[in-house]
Amino acid sequence: MRDVLPVLGRWYAAGVPFGLATVVQVSRSAPRDPGAAMAVGPDEEVVGSVSGGCVEGAVFELAQEVAAGGEARLETFGYSDEDAFAVGLTCGGEITLLVRAVTAERDPGFGAVAESVAAGEPVTVATVTDGPAPRGAALAVWPDRTLGTLGASGLDAAVTADARGELALGATGLRHYGPEGQRREDSVSVFLQSFAPPPRMLVFGAIDYAAAVARIGDFLGYRVTVCDARPVFATPRRFPEGVEVVAEWPHRYLRDTTTDERTVICVLTHDPKFDVPLLTEALRRPAAYIGAMGSRRTHADRAERLAEAGLTERELSRLRSPVGLDLGARTPEEVAVSVAAEIVALRWGGTGAPLTATEGAVHPYRSS
């Protein structure tokens, strides 16, 4: 959804109705996670994807129907063993979609949501998917305000409280309530989709490898900052557009920078005078991934210095060094792929093994 919102925001601002299909639930080996979206706008223009191509043709027709004035619909698609040509997911999974029309009258908060996401302002969108509440009704929830309604004041209040909690975690998924927001009932299903600001990637050491890592980090959706104490290397022209470049001692910059459980830290300096104070700071603060470049000999020396600096075994166990997965990488770009692969595997619990050597679902179910 984040990827297609700029286009949808323009359609909305122009007053053009469009059909929006959103993945609200998945099971087994589904190709896309909850929150994936596809929209059909003016002149049959299509943006986004909900299945990687398996059911897009059927969704296109549904989105056209609701955009032309039809009621919001909840549709489930799965693989058909009886008819291989039937609309379904050849991967064997199942996805449930909410298909609804978006107009200023039906969704008064959509334009403000698009603007907030573009500005990096956190917001959660709650949409009724099933039950006695109006299907497709939407409520936008910010930390300090709301816009829209789900049809009942009690339901709005309960969902607002939950939406703000989910926003703090950046979580997305279905929640269930009674018609007036009762916690112990489940007659109303509401899809909460959180748009937290993009996670940060902090790259220390303005070398060729850093440029490649910054490029792939930006591609993966991180807000990337490259930091180096040497101004001659820490220059924006050496890095992709949109990457922040800072000339500062790494440990001082990190000390004054907020990190959270989604932050990725890549230390590519492999120089003790930078590495030790920087990693001492990094390993004692929240982060999803902390990796450091260097040979095994460099790592052993670095670990010894960090232990001497007072880091515990538990703190040292957070360090991924040598950085990256074993891909046989040589060039800066190949090393960047190796680092990115390790970050993704750690995020989702992947093994890093070839899929041909594993069993079970390729896309196992992941709870939000």
Side-chain angles (χ1 to χ4, degrees):
M1 177 67 92
R2 187 187 295 275
D3 294 337
V4 302
L5 265 177
V7 175
L8 305 190
R10 290 196 295 271
W11 292 349
Y12 186 87
V16 178
F18 57 89
L20 176 62
T22 305
V23 178
V24 297
Q25 193 169 25
V26 303
S27 66
R28 299 191 300 276
S29 185
R32 302 297 304 274
D33 287 330
M38 170 181 159
V40 179
D43 301 321
E44 299 185 345
E45 182 180 356
V46 178
V47 294
S49 171
V50 291
S51 74
C54 299
V55 301
E56 266 69 4
V59 175
F60 175 82
E61 295 179 1
L62 287 171
Q64 281 190 310
E65 290 177 15
V66 299
E71 294 297 319
R73 296 175 61 174
L74 193 67
E75 296 286 342
T76 298
F77 295 93
Y79 182 70
S80 172
D81 293 319
E82 291 76 21
D83 183 359
F85 296 99
V87 173
L89 301 179
T90 57
C91 60
E94 187 175 271
I95 61 173
T96 300
L97 307 175
L98 175 67
V99 188
R100 65 187 180 101
V102 178
T103 64
E105 181 180 359
R106 295 192 184 200
D107 191 346
F110 191 91
V113 168
E115 292 174 0
S116 289
V117 174
E121 183 182 13
V123 59
T124 294
V125 178
T127 312
V128 175
T129 65
D130 205 4
R135 178 174 289 161
L139 172 69
V141 180
W142 289 266
D144 59 349
R145 66 191 189 280
T146 65
L147 187 57
T149 180
L150 302 182
S153 59
L155 182 59
D156 287 347
V159 170
T160 295
D162 288 351
R164 286 177 174 150
E166 298 297 84
L167 187 57
L169 300 173
T172 288
L174 279 174
R175 299 294 180 267
H176 305 281
Y177 307 88
E180 286 294 334
Q182 296 93 331
R183 299 288 182 177
R184 296 187 179 184
E185 298 184 27
D186 59 2
S187 59
V188 179
S189 297
V190 179
F191 182 65
L192 300 182
Q193 185 169 14
S194 297
F195 296 94
R200 298 201 65 182
M201 173 182 279
L202 307 177
V203 182
F204 295 97
I207 60 177
D208 289 344
Y209 290 95
V213 170
R215 188 175 298 112
I216 202 167
D218 179 67
F219 176 75
L220 290 175
Y222 288 92
R223 180 162 68 93
V224 183
T225 298
V226 176
C227 176
D228 197 299
R230 301 162 296 181
V232 67
F233 294 113
T235 58
R237 67 175 180 273
R238 300 184 63 239
F239 296 92
E241 184 178 357
V243 171
E244 180 186 27
V245 181
V246 176
E248 174 63 280
W249 276 81
H251 72 284
R252 293 175 184 166
Y253 175 78
L254 183 58
R255 184 178 58 208
D256 296 331
T257 299
T258 300
T259 64
D260 59 27
E261 286 73 13
R262 303 183 301 154
T263 304
V264 166
I265 299 174
C266 297
V267 178
L268 310 181
T269 50
H270 52 80
D271 182 331
K273 69 175 177 291
F274 296 124
D275 289 1
V276 174
L278 172 59
L279 287 170
T280 299
E281 176 69 32
L283 293 169
R284 289 173 171 166
R285 59 167 50 229
Y289 175 92
I290 304 171
M293 177 176 279
S295 66
R296 298 190 189 282
R297 180 176 179 179
T298 298
H299 169 67
D301 177 71
R302 181 191 292 132
E304 185 176 340
R305 292 173 184 266
L306 289 170
E308 291 173 355
L311 269 76
T312 66
E313 286 294 327
R314 183 176 182 179
E315 290 168 337
L316 288 171
S317 69
R318 300 179 63 202
L319 179 60
R320 316 287 291 194
S321 177
V323 71
L325 297 185
D326 180 14
L327 305 182
R330 293 292 186 273
T331 67
E333 291 74 19
E334 290 174 345
V335 170
V337 170
S338 168
V339 173
E342 184 175 41
I343 291 170
V344 172
L346 187 63
R347 177 183 181 185
W348 296 113
T351 64
L355 289 173
T356 54
T358 64
E359 297 179 352
V362 173
H363 300 285
Y365 173 77
R366 298 184 292 265
S367 170
S368 296

